[in-house]
Amino acid sequence: MTRPSGPLLTARALRKHYRSGSSAASPALDDVSLAIERGEFVTIMGPSGCGKTTLLNCLSGLDAPDSGTVVLDGSALTALTERERSEIRLRRIGFVFQHPTFLPSLSLLDNIVLPGVLAAMPRRDALARAHRLASVTGIDELADRSVSQLSGGQLQRAAICRALINDPVILFGDEPTGALNQAAAAEVLALLSETHRAGATLVLVTHDVRVAARSERVLVMRDGSVVSEQRLGALPEGALGPSEMNEREERLSGWLLGAGV
Ligand SMILES: Nc1ncnc2c1ncn2[C@@H]1O[C@H](COP(=O)(O)OP(=O)(O)OP(=O)(O)O)[C@@H](O)[C@H]1O
């Protein structure tokens, strides 16, 4: 099959107004258009309530906009039924949430394996892939543990493995480091950066300038719209040293202040 040319993900004129909100409330999404290139690492920032999670959910097919289109790798998510969207989410899209949930009756490894088996991957292949991912993320020795015996950082690493088990074309994250202590957040962030360097397309919502500074492009939202963007460019091969990374974070913070974030 030939790969569709052009951006990996394109959103056009997305609008969404939550029905449960007051009818006078402003829309959660107000005419958002954007494109994400293959292999890009994009972060979405903006004040609380500006629509970041709503946008991420519409881009990833978790939710549907009231109007507008989302096309992922040639598939128009917005033209699909909920059932078809969930099939695409299982097979082609990875998610990492701020508070990952796991099946408590399964071991850590089986939680990682599960979406692979649900997507009809032979169990042996799913197990081998889960071990490989767990080993890369440093949690393979915890494979047989119950998820109740793991730290927040270990669980988030497991969530990343689970998100990658079906080799998704894109990985979405909603505040993936938001609930972690500083050390665990740094480890998870390093892992996400590593995943991107290995070729993944990443789209993360974050309030954390340290996360955004590792991305290539930062989109800023306000009142349901993307109001500005900053292209930081790729991190050079071989991670930046701490002082260069600080400098990149400070430059971004300065720009974000100017953009009113
Ligand atoms: N299920 C819902 N029903 C009604 N209103 C909602 C719902 N989800 C979000 N909203 C409203 O839509 C707007 C955008 O919410 P959203 O969660 O997308 O913002 P956000 O930028 O991700 O916020 P935060 O940074 O606080 O997580 C807010 O005004 C919010 O109150």
Side-chain angles (χ1 to χ4, degrees):
M1 199 177 87
T2 54
R3 199 175 219 198
S5 59
L8 177 63
L9 179 81
T10 310
R12 292 260 174 271
L14 299 184
R15 292 178 200 274
K16 186 165 182 79
H17 207 135
Y18 288 105
R19 309 277 167 246
S20 55
S22 124
S23 55
S26 42
L29 290 183
D30 188 6
D31 196 16
V32 174
S33 296
L34 54 82
I36 310 273
E37 301 298 331
R38 284 168 207 282
E40 216 185 353
F41 180 2
V42 175
T43 44
I44 303 172
M45 301 190 85
S48 185
C50 69
K52 302 180 294 295
T53 292
T54 305
L55 175 59
L56 202 76
N57 290 350
C58 289
L59 294 180
S60 61
L62 268 179
D63 200 357
D66 296 341
S67 61
T69 56
V70 176
V71 178
L72 174 65
D73 205 20
S75 301
L77 298 187
T78 36
L80 302 178
T81 63
E82 170 53 38
R83 197 193 165 104
E84 291 165 334
R85 278 208 316 269
S86 70
E87 190 63 17
I88 288 206
R89 286 200 304 269
L90 171 67
R91 291 170 187 276
R92 319 214 48 207
I93 299 176
F95 294 91
V96 185
F97 298 100
Q98 183 171 9
H99 299 286
T101 53
F102 295 91
L103 289 181
S105 56
L106 298 185
S107 68
L108 174 72
L109 197 76
D110 280 338
N111 268 285
I112 296 172
V113 161
L114 185 63
V117 171
L118 289 175
M121 191 186 294
R123 185 169 166 78
R124 213 174 47 172
D125 296 354
L127 274 172
R129 184 165 165 79
H131 272 300
R132 213 162 41 245
L133 288 165
S135 150
V136 169
T137 55
I139 53 171
D140 202 30
E141 73 219 35
L142 308 170
D144 295 330
R145 287 236 196 132
S146 146
V147 286
S148 62
Q149 299 169 326
L150 299 165
S151 71
Q154 290 165 341
L155 286 176
Q156 199 57 300
R157 282 188 268 164
I160 293 171
C161 295
R162 181 176 58 183
L164 295 175
I165 190 82
N166 286 325
D167 196 17
V169 294
I170 190 165
L171 182 62
F172 291 99
D174 197 349
E175 291 275 6
T177 61
L180 303 178
N181 66 39
Q182 212 170 326
E187 281 173 17
V188 167
L189 180 53
L191 180 57
L192 288 169
S193 296
E194 201 48 57
T195 307
H196 168 243
R197 264 198 295 278
T201 307
L202 268 187
V203 182
L204 306 183
V205 163
T206 186
H207 285 282
D208 189 342
V209 76
R210 285 166 301 188
V211 175
R214 275 156 183 82
S215 71
E216 296 169 313
R217 184 157 60 109
V218 183
L219 304 178
V220 171
M221 291 188 73
R222 195 174 312 127
D223 300 331
S225 300
V226 174
V227 291
S228 50
E229 72 167 31
Q230 175 78 329
R231 285 182 185 275
L232 299 173
L235 286 173
E237 276 298 316
L240 289 178
S243 68
E244 293 157 299
M245 204 60 233
N246 276 345
E247 204 184 295
R248 188 165 159 123
E249 286 168 16
E250 274 167 26
R251 249 186 300 128
L252 176 60
S253 299
W255 176 78
L256 288 169
L257 267 177
V261 180

